[in-house]
């Protein structure tokens, strides 16, 4: 039998955790032949709730779940972990932007970054807690042993949202949508690049009205998180967990040459400063390895959108300079 993967999840007693853990334990992320040990990380006041979540995981009798460990600190929680989901942090409320959370959530990622030095040598990390690009960058800057390339953050939810909107409008299935990449920051400045997306093999802009793509489509994808908070009273959870599964699944298994949206440390492509955690099209080659697609051609429209979201991220980095 394959040796179990150690999978750490912070914020494991929270809303995303409640959806994510059961998907992981069911084999949706690492496959139906890969056992896992869950390392659940919370803050001390949430350990009672976490016990209840662990009881429910036990009660599912998942064949692939070979152990559950719980920790109230990242040092214990990340020890020897191969895969890490950094979810634990405060969600925004109505009327807030995600980067309004930066002063409260940013400091969490200082200690977690340092603690990741105690993880396994192949550790691969996705940051979900908002603002996820900058939080992931804080963790990366505070880790001294983990290579930068192992730190990623999540725009897969934005990609999935964009694919769903295109499919609905065109009256096709999401499987007919290809190369729908979201660039930049997981924020309302993100760039959902319909200009290179295809629908049934044809350019999206040939199938759908350009005014709709630049107007309603853009705004819907950029502001979807806020719309869910308004409608549901709390931020997206099951869809966020599902996107985290997609992100880590693709990084683990590879994407067969297909590009997916992942926030990764920049290699300087597209004028994005080195090491800024920015969402690019990435081709995953398995076991957490990936390459940034570096030859996408843009005109003024795309270049302007990339510059806007890049400048926002640079501004966020300035706000947390004391944490790195
Ligand atoms: P939640 O409030 O339901 O749960 C958060 C959990 O994190 C709580 O159980 C809390 O105790 C725990 N926590 C707080 N500080 C912690 C720490 N230092 N260590 C470990 N655990 C800690 O929130 P949620 O709905 O699960 O959302 C979590 C985060 O994910 C939020 O920041 C939210 O904005 C973000 N989010 C990101 C995306 C994305 O696409 N990147 C999507 C949805 C939500
Ligand atoms: C989302 O995109 O749903 C999350 O980032 C939560 C939020 O604050 O919008």
């Amino acid at each position: 039998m394959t040796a179990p993967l150690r999978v750490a999840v912070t914020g494991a007693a929270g809303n995303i955790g409640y959806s994510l853990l059961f998907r992981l334990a069911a084999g949706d992320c690492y496959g139906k032949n890969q056992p896992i040990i869950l390392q659940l990380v919370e803050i001390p006041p949430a350990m009672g709730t976490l016990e209840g979540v662990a009881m429910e995981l036990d009660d599912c009798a998942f064949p692939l779940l070979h152990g559950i460990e719980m920790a109230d600190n990242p040092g214990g929680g990340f020890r020897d972990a191969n895969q890490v989901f950094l979810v634990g942090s405060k969600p925004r409320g109505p009327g807030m932007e995600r980067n309004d959370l930066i002063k409260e959530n940013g400091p969490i990622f200082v200690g977690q970054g340092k603690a990741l030095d105690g993880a396994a040598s192949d550790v691969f990390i996705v940051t979900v807690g908002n603002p996820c690009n900058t939080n992931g960058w804080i963790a990366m800057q505070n880790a001294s042993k983990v290579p930068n390339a192992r730190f990623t953050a999540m725009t897969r939810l934005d990609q999935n949202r964009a694919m769903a909107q295109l499919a609905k409008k065109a009256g096709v299935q999401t499987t007919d949508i290809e190369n729908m990449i979201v660039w930049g920051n997981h924020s309302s400045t993100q760039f959902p690049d319909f200009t290179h997306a295809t629908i049934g093999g044809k350019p999206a802009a040939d199938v759908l009205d350009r005014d709709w793509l630049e107007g309603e489509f853009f705004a819907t994808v950029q502001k979807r998180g806020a719309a869910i908070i308004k409608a549901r009273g709390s931020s997206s959870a099951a869809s966020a967990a599902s996107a985290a599964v997609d992100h880590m699944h693709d990084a683990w298994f590879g994407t067969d040459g297909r590009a997916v949206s992942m926030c990764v440390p920049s290699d300087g492509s597209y004028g994005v400063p080195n090491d800024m955690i920015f969402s690019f099209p990435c081709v995953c080659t398995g076991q957490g390895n990936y390459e940034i697609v570096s030859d996408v051609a843009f005109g003024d429209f795309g270049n302007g959108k990339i510059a806007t979201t890049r400048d926002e991220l640079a501004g966020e980095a300035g706000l947390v300079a004391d944490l790195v």
Side-chain angles (χ1 to χ4, degrees):
M1 179 68 141
T2 318
L5 264 185
R6 291 189 156 271
V7 183
V9 180
T10 71
N15 282 306
I16 294 176
Y18 196 64
S19 195
L20 176 61
L21 301 179
F22 296 85
R23 296 279 309 273
L24 295 174
D28 291 353
C29 193
Y30 302 108
K32 303 290 181 190
N33 294 316
Q34 176 61 62
I36 63 169
I37 294 171
L38 283 173
Q39 301 187 187
L40 309 181
V41 189
E42 261 294 348
I43 49 175
M47 291 307 282
T49 309
L50 188 60
E51 291 276 356
V53 175
M55 286 161 70
E56 283 204 71
L57 281 164
D58 278 341
D59 294 352
C60 294
F62 285 118
L64 293 170
L65 185 56
H66 283 207
I68 303 173
E69 297 172 6
M70 286 178 269
D72 66 2
N73 64 88
F78 295 162
R79 194 162 304 127
D80 299 328
N82 307 103
Q83 300 274 303
V84 177
F85 293 73
L86 298 180
V87 179
S89 52
K90 200 174 163 183
R92 66 174 162 158
M96 293 170 75
E97 285 297 326
R98 296 183 186 92
N99 60 16
D100 292 336
L101 295 165
I102 205 164
K103 287 285 173 198
E104 216 168 327
N105 284 345
I108 293 173
F109 295 83
V110 174
Q112 293 190 352
K114 294 184 198 305
L116 282 164
D117 282 339
S121 57
D122 70 344
V123 68
F124 184 79
I125 302 136
V126 64
T127 304
V128 175
N130 279 320
C132 64
N133 298 58
T134 297
N135 287 339
W137 180 75
I138 294 169
M140 180 181 86
Q141 298 289 349
N142 279 280
S144 55
K145 294 191 190 148
V146 184
N148 285 0
R150 307 303 284 181
F151 284 89
T152 68
M154 192 170 92
T155 40
R156 187 59 172 267
L157 179 55
D158 309 286
Q159 176 185 317
N160 290 346
R161 288 167 170 166
M163 289 172 68
Q165 292 301 316
L166 292 180
K168 257 175 117 167
K169 187 73 175 174
V172 299
Q173 304 307 316
T174 51
T175 44
D176 295 313
I177 313 296
E178 285 180 3
N179 207 31
M180 181 53 247
I181 300 299
V182 173
W183 295 68
N185 197 3
H186 173 61
S187 77
S188 53
T189 67
Q190 66 181 255
F191 171 32
D193 177 25
F194 62 81
T195 67
H196 294 89
T198 60
I199 304 177
K202 295 184 192 145
D206 289 355
V207 177
L208 297 172
D209 178 52
R210 175 94 192 191
D211 287 345
W212 179 83
L213 287 165
E214 279 191 39
E216 197 179 324
F217 168 72
F218 235 76
T220 300
V221 177
Q222 288 179 325
K223 296 182 190 149
R224 188 67 161 187
I228 288 168
I229 291 169
K230 189 161 174 243
R232 220 174 80 85
S234 56
S235 72
S236 63
S239 57
S242 194
V245 167
D246 290 343
H247 178 115
M248 294 301 254
H249 170 278
D250 284 356
W252 180 250
F253 286 107
T255 55
D256 286 329
R258 198 171 39 93
V260 290
S261 313
M262 293 203 325
C263 308
V264 300
S266 173
D267 59 359
S269 301
Y270 306 99
V272 178
N274 277 320
D275 288 340
M276 175 180 275
I277 295 197
F278 191 93
S279 184
F280 291 107
C282 293
V283 172
C284 301
T285 51
Q287 269 72 49
N289 299 308
Y290 56 84
E291 279 165 23
I292 297 173
V293 179
S294 59
D295 60 355
V296 183
F298 286 109
D300 290 347
F301 176 78
N303 284 329
K305 300 289 180 203
I306 287 176
T308 302
T309 193
R310 177 200 64 205
D311 292 350
E312 181 186 48
L313 268 173
E316 286 184 18
L319 293 175
V320 293
D322 56 323
L323 300 181
V324 300

